[in-house]
Amino acid sequence: LPVVMESIWSITPANLKVTGGSYIGVYDGNPHSPVVSAEHIGEDTGHTHHIDIYYSTEGPLDVSNYSTRGSLTPVSRTDVCDVTVYYYIVTEHTNPASGSVRINITPKSIVGANVVLGEDPTYTGGDVSIDVESITIEGLTLKPSDYTLTQNTRVAVGTYKVSITGTGNFHGVIE
């Protein structure tokens, strides 16, 4: 009689090829996100699998917290920041993958901006100020909260320079 031997074998999970890229740039008024993508290594072209990428800015993600701390919505920022974005990638039949990327948005210089001042004030005997009508640079219009003014209030008749200093999403000084 033939002897039948039973042997146990298994198929191991595949690995993922993860591509991640940080966003590093100067403030431009637009939202930016880092890029994270994944694909199966050695995947035979006839099969596709859904891949979920979870994101968080609150610390690293792992098997114990990705579904509660993470979100399937990619992280995006518009204003000046330096944020670490953690990701955790899960899909059927593969080992999970995790890592981090950054969003780093630095302030934009206002040097060279187009400044339109208000009408010259008339002497009153007391303090008078010059107003800023608008400040624009490369298609961006600064709000009053984006800059501070110094030397814009005087008493005596004369010609003066106003100093404009960028704040928040902007930096630099123009006079």
Side-chain angles (χ1 to χ4, degrees):
L1 289 176
V3 176
V4 177
M5 304 261 321
E6 199 172 304
S7 202
I8 298 175
W9 63 284
S10 60
I11 298 173
T12 59
N15 289 317
L16 291 169
K17 176 183 176 189
V18 178
T19 305
S22 296
Y23 174 81
I24 298 174
V26 176
Y27 175 78
D28 64 4
N30 295 310
H32 296 282
S33 298
V35 176
V36 178
S37 63
E39 61 183 276
H40 293 94
I41 295 176
E43 179 73 21
D44 124 28
T45 57
H47 297 85
T48 59
H49 298 283
H50 179 76
I51 297 174
D52 285 327
I53 304 175
Y54 290 81
Y55 302 90
S56 175
T57 57
E58 298 176 17
L61 297 175
D62 59 35
V63 69
S64 70
N65 66 9
Y66 77 90
S67 64
T68 56
R69 183 188 284 176
S71 168
L72 291 170
T73 303
V75 174
S76 173
R77 295 288 187 273
T78 301
D79 293 329
V80 167
C81 67
D82 188 3
V83 176
T84 300
V85 178
Y86 300 92
Y87 61 84
Y88 190 80
I89 304 171
V90 293
T91 185
E92 195 175 37
H93 310 301
T94 64
N95 292 311
S98 62
S100 65
V101 288
R102 289 178 43 221
I103 302 173
N104 181 281
I105 301 173
T106 57
K108 180 171 200 57
S109 175
I110 63 169
V111 174
N114 182 36
V115 178
V116 177
L117 298 176
E119 290 187 29
D120 287 341
T122 303
Y123 174 78
T124 65
D127 287 345
V128 293
S129 298
I130 188 77
D131 293 322
V132 173
E133 293 291 323
S134 68
I135 302 173
T136 57
I137 187 159
E138 296 177 13
L140 297 171
T141 300
L142 280 69
K143 303 180 297 287
S145 61
D146 292 328
Y147 58 88
T148 59
L149 300 175
T150 53
Q151 304 173 359
N152 67 320
T153 302
R154 300 287 191 220
V155 175
V157 172
T159 301
Y160 303 99
K161 287 184 180 180
V162 63
S163 180
I164 303 167
T165 303
T167 61
N169 291 319
F170 298 92
H171 75 93
V173 177
I174 48 181
E175 295 182 328

